[in-house]
C-alpha cells in the first residue's frame, strides 16, 4: 500500500510540473495570438509555482509578454521587466535543473529572443534620453550593455564583445540624472574601452566636481593625459584645477609640458602669464602675455591683464610722487607715472574693442583718459557708462 501511495505522489508531482510548464506554453501561444490578458494569467501562475519558476522558458515567455505590453501601453517599467526576465533566463540556463542537467539547453532560444528585443529596449532608451528622462534612459542603456556583454553573445577564442556605445550613454544618462556613483562606474568602463576618449575623461571630471569628490580629480586628469596626450582640453582642465586649489607649482610643471608639445597655443601663454603674475613675477608675466597676444591679437584676457599691470605701476608712481617734498623728484615720479599710463592705454583700448562694455575696463579707460588729459575720449566713456 505504501509503495502505491509513493507512486501516486510521484505521478502527481510529475503531472503538476507538466501542467505548470503547459501554462508557459499556453501563454506563449496566447502572445502569438495577441491575447495578452490570457497570457498574463498563465505566466503569473508559472512564475510563482516551484516547478516552473526555475525553468528558463518561463522567463523567456515572461519577457516576451512584458515586451508586447510595453509596445501597447508604452509603460517603461514593462520593457525593464522584460530585460530582467531575460537576465533570469540566462542565469537559470547556465545552471541547469536541480541535478545540474540541461545546462545551455535554451541558449539559442534566449539569444534569438534577446536579439529581437534589444532594438525595442534601445529605442525606448533613446526616446527617453531625447525627452530628458535620464533616470530611465540610464536603466535602459545599462540593460542593453549588460545583455550584449553576456556570454551567449561571445565566441570562444575571439575578443570579448563590449557594447561601448551604450556603456558611454549609460554614464552620460547617469551624469545628467545626478547619479554620481553610476556615472563614475560607467565612465570608468568607457575610458577602459577607450570610447569617448577625452570627452569621457572630462565628463568623469564633471562627475567628481559636481559630487564634491575632489580627491579623485587630479588622478583622473593625469590618467587622461597619459591615455590621450594630444587632447589639450585635459591638460588645461588639470592646470585650471591646480590654479583653483592654489597648487601653482604643479600647474606650472604641467603648463611647461603643454607648451613644449604645442608652442602655437595662445591660451597656454596667457595661463603661464597669469601664474607668474600671481607669483608677483610681473616682468616675466608681461613676456608671456605678449606672446599670447602675438598669436591672437584680439585675446581679451592678456590684453586687459597687461593694461592693468601698467596701470597699477602708474598708480604706484603717482602715490610715490605725492609723498615727495623735492620738486624735481616729484616731477620725475609723475613723468614715470604718465609713461606707465601711456603704456597701459593701447592694451586697455584693445581689450575694450575685443569685449565691449566691461565695467572694469570702462572704469580703467575713464581713469586713463583723465590722467592723460584726453578729455574728448573721457567724455565719450562717461556717456557710454551712463547708457549702460
Amino acid at each position: 500500500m505504501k509503495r502505491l501511495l509513493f507512486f501516486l505522489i510521484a505521478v502527481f508531482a510529475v503531472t503538476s510540473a507538466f501542467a505548470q510548464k503547459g501554462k508557459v506554453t499556453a501563454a506563449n501561444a496566447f502572445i502569438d495570438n495577441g491575447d495578452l490578458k490570457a497570457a498574463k494569467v498563465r505566466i503569473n501562475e508559472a512564475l510563482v509555482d516551484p516547478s516552473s519558476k526555475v525553468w528558463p522558458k518561463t522567463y523567456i515567455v515572461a519577457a516576451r509578454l512584458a515586451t508586447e505590453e510595453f509596445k501597447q501601453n508604452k509603460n517603461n517599467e514593462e520593457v525593464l521587466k522584460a530585460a530582467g526576465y531575460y537576465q533570469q533566463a540566462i542565469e537559470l540556463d547556465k545552471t541547469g535543473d536541480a541535478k545540474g542537467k540541461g545546462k545551455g539547453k535554451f541558449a539559442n532560444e534566449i539569444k534569438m529572443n534577446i536579439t529581437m528585443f534589444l532594438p525595442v529596449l534601445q529605442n525606448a532608451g533613446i526616446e527617453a534620453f531625447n525627452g530628458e528622462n535620464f533616470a530611465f534612459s540610464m536603466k535602459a542603456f545599462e540593460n542593453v550593455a549588460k545583455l550584449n556583454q553576456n556570454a551567449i553573445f561571445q565566441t570562444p577564442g575571439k575578443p570579448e564583445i563590449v557594447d561601448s556605445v551604450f556603456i558611454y550613454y549609460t554614464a552620460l544618462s547617469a551624469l545628467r540624472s545626478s547619479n554620481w556613483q553610476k556615472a563614475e562606474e560607467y565612465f570608468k568602463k568607457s575610458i577602459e574601452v577607450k570610447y569617448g576618449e577625452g570627452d569621457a575623461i572630462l565628463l568623469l571630471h564633471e562627475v567628481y566636481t559636481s559630487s564634491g569628490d575632489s580627491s579623485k580629480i587630479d588622478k583622473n586628469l593625469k590618467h587622461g593625459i597619459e591615455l590621450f596626450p594630444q587632447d589639450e582640453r585635459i591638460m588645461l582642465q588639470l592646470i585650471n584645477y591646480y590654479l583653483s586649489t592654489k597648487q601653482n607649482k604643479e600647474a606650472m610643471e604641467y603648463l611647461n609640458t603643454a607648451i613644449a608639445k604645442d608652442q602655437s597655443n595662445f591660451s597656454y601663454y596667457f595661463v603661464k602669464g597669469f601664474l607668474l603674475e600671481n607669483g608677483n613675477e610681473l616682468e616675466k608675466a608681461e613676456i608671456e602675455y605678449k606672446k599670447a597676444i602675438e598669436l591672437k591679437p584680439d585675446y581679451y584676457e592678456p590684453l586687459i591683464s597687461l593694461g592693468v599691470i601698467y596701470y597699477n605701476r602708474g598708480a604706484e608712481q603717482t602715490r610715490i610722487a605725492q609723498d615727495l617734498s623735492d620738486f624735481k623728484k616729484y616731477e620725475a615720479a609723475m613723468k614715470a607715472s604718465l609713461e606707465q599710463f601711456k603704456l597701459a592705454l593701447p592694451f586697455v583700448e584693445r581689450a575694450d574693442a575685443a569685449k565691449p562694455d566691461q565695467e572694469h575696463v570702462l572704469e580703467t579707460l575713464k581713469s586713463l583718459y583723465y590722467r592723460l588729459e584726453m578729455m574728448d575720449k573721457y567724455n565719450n566713456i562717461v556717456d557710454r557708462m551712463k547708457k549702460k
Side-chain angles (χ1 to χ4, degrees), residues 234-247:
I234 304 173
M235 178 73 75
L236 282 174
Q237 194 62 258
L238 180 61
I239 291 166
N240 287 335
Y241 167 69
Y242 283 139
L243 288 175
S244 68
T245 53
K246 304 189 186 305
Q247 299 181 67

Side-chain angles (χ1 to χ4, degrees), residues 53 90 130 160 179 190 246 251 280 306 373 388:
K53 72 177 184 180
I90 290 166
N130 291 337
E160 182 183 16
N179 189 328
S190 187
K246 304 189 186 305
N280 207 33
L306 265 177
E373 298 180 355
K388 280 193 67 184

Side-chain angles (χ1 to χ4, degrees), residues 24-49:
V24 175
T25 304
N28 207 30
F30 279 124
I31 294 169
D32 290 337
N33 291 325
D35 190 346
L36 302 188
K37 286 184 179 179
K40 194 175 186 73
V41 171
R42 286 153 180 81
I43 206 65
N44 282 346
E45 291 176 359
L47 283 168
V48 297
D49 186 271

Side-chain angles (χ1 to χ4, degrees), residues 70-333:
F70 166 74
K71 289 178 181 178
Q72 279 195 1
N73 56 36
K74 294 299 179 183
N75 181 348
N76 287 335
E77 292 306 310
E78 294 297 335
V79 79
L80 292 180
K81 276 170 61 177
Y85 286 140
Y86 280 127
Q87 291 285 10
Q88 285 176 281
I90 290 166
E91 292 306 313
L92 289 169
D93 192 52
K94 282 197 295 188
T95 57
D97 61 19
K99 295 180 180 180
K101 295 180 179 179
K103 291 180 182 179
K105 179 180 178 181
F106 292 93
N108 287 335
E109 186 176 353
I110 293 169
K111 184 176 180 179
M112 180 185 69
N113 277 274
I114 290 177
T115 301
M116 292 187 292
F117 167 69
L118 280 174
V120 178
L121 182 58
Q122 290 167 4
N123 290 335
I126 292 167
E127 187 175 333
F129 186 89
N130 291 337
E132 299 187 1
N133 182 359
F134 299 119
F136 171 73
S137 66
M138 178 193 74
K139 292 176 184 177
F141 294 151
E142 182 178 28
N143 275 286
V144 171
K146 284 182 175 179
L147 287 170
N148 264 329
Q149 202 167 351
N150 199 275
I152 62 173
F153 289 102
Q154 309 299 326
T155 303
K158 291 190 176 181
E160 182 183 16
I161 297 171
V162 178
D163 201 331
S164 52
V165 173
F166 285 100
I167 288 173
Y168 180 80
Y169 276 95
T170 300
L172 193 56
S173 296
L175 170 63
R176 294 187 179 175
S177 60
S178 301
N179 189 328
W180 311 127
Q181 184 177 351
K182 192 71 73 174
E184 179 184 15
E185 176 189 348
Y186 275 87
F187 275 129
K188 281 185 172 180
K189 288 182 179 179
S190 187
I191 292 164
E192 189 178 327
V193 298
K194 291 186 171 61
Y195 188 88
E197 298 189 331
D199 287 342
I201 293 287
L202 293 169
L203 287 167
L204 182 55
H205 173 73
E206 187 178 335
V207 171
Y208 293 143
T209 54
S210 298
S211 64
D213 196 353
S214 58
S215 63
K216 298 175 182 176
I217 288 177
D218 63 339
K219 183 179 179 181
N220 169 56
L221 292 173
K222 286 177 181 177
H223 183 50
I225 291 168
E226 290 172 8
L227 291 176
F228 313 110
Q230 302 307 314
D231 194 331
E232 66 184 37
R233 299 173 303 163
I234 304 173
M235 178 73 75
L236 282 174
Q237 194 62 258
L238 180 61
I239 291 166
N240 287 335
Y241 167 69
Y242 283 139
L243 288 175
S244 68
T245 53
K246 304 189 186 305
Q247 299 181 67
N248 288 5
K249 182 182 177 183
E250 290 81 357
M252 187 64 82
E253 287 176 1
Y254 274 91
L255 190 55
N256 286 333
T257 301
I259 291 172
K261 289 180 178 178
D262 181 6
Q263 297 179 20
S264 64
N265 192 312
F266 49 82
S267 60
Y268 290 163
Y269 296 107
F270 164 68
V271 176
K272 188 171 183 178
F274 177 79
L275 278 173
L276 290 165
E277 185 178 354
N278 273 7
N280 207 33
E281 298 183 74
L282 298 182
E283 291 182 0
K284 290 181 180 179
E286 286 177 56
I287 294 169
E288 300 305 324
Y289 286 147
K290 286 176 180 176
K291 287 178 183 177
I293 294 166
E294 283 175 16
L295 292 167
K296 184 175 170 59
D298 62 345
Y299 193 179
Y300 170 81
E301 282 78 7
L303 285 168
I304 191 59
S305 296
L306 265 177
V308 168
I309 285 175
Y310 294 133
Y311 178 89
N312 288 342
R313 282 183 186 154
E316 177 62 17
Q317 284 295 323
T318 301
R319 188 194 65 75
I320 291 170
Q322 289 170 346
D323 290 338
L324 295 171
S325 56
D326 186 294
F327 184 71
K328 286 187 178 180
K329 289 181 179 179
Y330 169 81
E331 277 195 324

